[in-house]
Amino acid sequence: MPPEFKAELAERYVTCVPGEISVSSAPELAEVAQAWVDGITESCSDLSVTLVDAAEEPETPIDVFISAAGQSPACLVVASSPVGLDAVAVAVTVEGLDGVIFSPALLHRALSGGMTSWADPELQELNPEIELTDTPLVLRSSARPQEIAALNEWMSRIDPVGWPASPSGLIPADLYDAEAIVTELETEGTISVVPASMVTNSSLQTISIQTQNEIEPIYVTVESVISAGTQMVTTTEGSNVTAALDASLPPIPAAGNDVAALPWQALNQFSINVCAGANELAGRAFARYALRLDSQGAMITYGFTETPEQVRLVAVDAVSQGLPEPTIPPSDAPEEVVTEEPLEEVTDMPSEEPLEEPLEEEVTDAATPEPTS
C-alpha cells in the first residue's frame, strides 16, 4: 500500500491494539503527550495508556519514549521517528527591541560576553532606525546542549569566520525549568538562548538574524520554522526513521503562497521511540496515533511545530510495520445500489382511452338569495 494512502487511512481511522502500555515524555512535551494518551484511549476502549515520569518512577517499565534531541531512550528501540519540531530562539528583554537585527558575528560576540551594552555601535549600525539605549547587556549563560548545538550548526554554516566555535559564554545545562527561565528573563537587558516554544507561550521578544547583506533578516516565526522543516530529508532503516535538514534544498512555499518564507534553520526534533517487548504492537499503535495529522495539532496548540509532512508520511509507514493494515470499516462502504424493475417497453404511440364526457350539473346563482315570504 503506498505510504500516502496508508497515511490517509491512518488519519481517518484509529488503529487499536489491546494492551496496557506506559509512555514517558520529555518534560516540555508532557501536555502534548497527555493529549495523545487521552485521545487514543477515548478511541480504543481495550487499550490502557499511562503517562509515566521515568525520572520519578525508574522501576516502571516504559513501552514508548517521547524524547527531546540528545536524549537516549532507556530500552531496545524497535521503531522510531521524528514526532515534532521546536526551533531555537534568542530572547531579549529590552523594551522595543523585538526583532532587533544581529549578524552571526555580533551574536557570537554577545553570547561570548564581548557585548556589554545595548547601545553597541555594531548593533546600532545594523539597526539604524532604532534608537538604542545604554542598557547593560546581561547574558543568561545557561542553555541546553541541543539548543547550543542547533544554533552552532546554523551560524557556523552561514558565517564560519564570524562563528568559529561555540560561544564561550554559553554553559550547557540539561535541567529544563520553564518557569525558572521566564523568571530570569524578567531582568531588563537580558539575552538568552531559549526554545522557540517558550517564546510563543510566554510572549517573549526575540532577535532576528541578518544572514546575507542582500536579503532581509530572518525572524523566528511559525512560518519560518515550517519553511525550514520543508528542507528536511529522511533516512529509513527498518522501522526507524531519522530526518536532517538539507540547506541546499530550496524551501517549499506554504499552500496558497508563491514564495517560501525565509527558513529559520536552528531546529531541534522530538522523536517517538517504541520499545521491544510484549507491548510492541500497542506501542506502535500509539506512535502511529501521535503521527496522525489530527494528533499533530496538539504540537501547535502547545507552541511547538508539527512534523513536516514529507517526514510524517514516511514515519507513519515505518512505525506501522506489523500493525493491521488500515482498512475502510464496513459502515463506510458504499451503499448497495438497488436496481429498480425495468420499465415496461414503451410503444411508439401510447394508446389513448376515450375520455368520458363530464355530466352537466345544474348551476344555480349562489349569489342571488332565495325570495322570502
Side-chain angles (χ1 to χ4, degrees):
M1 181 184 297
E4 296 82 359
F5 186 55
K6 183 180 291 187
E8 181 181 349
L9 287 180
E11 182 65 29
R12 295 177 61 188
Y13 311 110
V14 176
T15 299
C16 296
V17 174
E20 297 182 5
I21 62 173
S22 297
V23 176
S24 175
S25 171
E28 60 267 46
L29 273 192
E31 292 176 306
V32 176
Q34 188 62 62
W36 292 338
V37 169
D38 294 341
I40 195 170
T41 53
E42 183 178 347
S43 299
C44 303
S45 58
D46 53 357
L47 175 62
S48 174
V49 185
T50 304
L51 191 60
V52 176
D53 187 334
E56 294 185 359
E57 302 179 46
E59 72 286 350
T60 302
I62 303 299
D63 302 297
V64 178
F65 281 93
I66 303 172
S67 55
Q71 293 180 330
S72 299
C75 72
L76 174 61
V77 175
V78 293
S80 63
S81 79
V83 77
L85 303 177
D86 197 6
V88 179
V90 179
V92 297
T93 60
V94 180
E95 186 176 353
L97 291 192
D98 191 23
V100 63
I101 300 170
F102 275 72
S103 66
L106 178 58
L107 180 59
H108 188 276
R109 180 158 65 87
L111 297 179
S112 297
M115 177 177 163
T116 59
S117 169
W118 284 99
D120 186 271
E122 187 177 350
L123 184 65
Q124 186 67 77
E125 184 178 352
L126 287 166
N127 299 271
E129 74 288 351
I130 298 178
E131 185 176 345
L132 299 175
T133 60
D134 193 19
T135 304
L137 186 144
V138 179
L139 172 61
R140 180 181 173 273
S141 59
S142 178
R144 290 185 299 179
Q146 63 264 35
E147 289 153 6
I148 298 174
L151 195 61
N152 282 339
E153 193 282 327
W154 185 28
M155 294 292 98
S156 63
R157 173 163 43 81
I158 61 177
D159 187 359
V161 175
W163 199 282
S166 183
S168 59
L170 295 181
I171 301 174
D174 291 319
L175 183 63
Y176 179 80
D177 187 337
E179 292 185 4
I181 296 173
V182 171
T183 300
E184 290 181 51
L185 291 176
E186 293 176 356
T187 302
E188 180 75 8
T190 300
I191 186 169
S192 176
V193 176
V194 297
S197 55
M198 179 178 293
V199 170
T200 300
N201 295 330
S202 301
S203 301
L204 301 178
Q205 297 183 126
T206 59
I207 71 164
S208 62
I209 294 290
Q210 183 74 58
T211 59
Q212 299 176 24
N213 292 332
E214 65 271 15
I215 65 173
E216 296 180 356
I218 303 177
Y219 300 84
V220 56
T221 64
V222 172
E223 293 76 17
S224 65
V225 175
I226 291 176
S227 182
T230 67
Q231 297 177 290
M232 300 185 79
V233 294
T234 59
T235 302
T236 304
E237 293 184 8
S239 293
N240 299 295
V241 178
T242 56
L245 189 143
D246 185 346
S248 67
L249 297 176
I252 299 174
N257 294 330
D258 296 327
V259 180
L262 294 174
W264 183 275
Q265 295 176 339
L267 298 180
N268 273 319
Q269 303 175 48
F270 296 102
S271 62
I272 190 162
N273 307 272
V274 180
C275 299
N279 294 324
E280 177 187 330
L281 285 184
R284 285 178 178 268
F286 182 84
R288 181 154 84 177
Y289 181 86
L291 286 163
R292 295 172 73 240
L293 195 58
D294 185 57
S295 303
Q296 287 282 293
M299 297 292 294
I300 301 171
T301 299
Y302 292 101
F304 302 97
T305 303
E306 60 189 356
T307 309
E309 184 65 4
Q310 79 279 8
V311 176
R312 190 183 73 85
L313 293 176
V314 175
V316 169
D317 186 56
V319 303
S320 297
Q321 293 182 27
L323 292 176
E325 288 287 343
T327 57
I328 302 176
S331 59
D332 275 18
E335 295 182 3
E336 182 180 353
V337 178
V338 179
T339 305
E340 296 182 355
E341 291 296 326
L343 297 174
E344 294 183 3
E345 185 178 354
V346 180
T347 59
D348 291 339
M349 293 295 294
S351 60
E352 294 184 0
E353 294 290 337
L355 297 176
E356 296 183 358
E357 293 292 331
L359 297 175
E360 292 187 3
E361 295 182 4
E362 183 179 355
V363 178
T364 59
D365 189 357
T368 306
E370 292 288 335
T372 57
S373 56

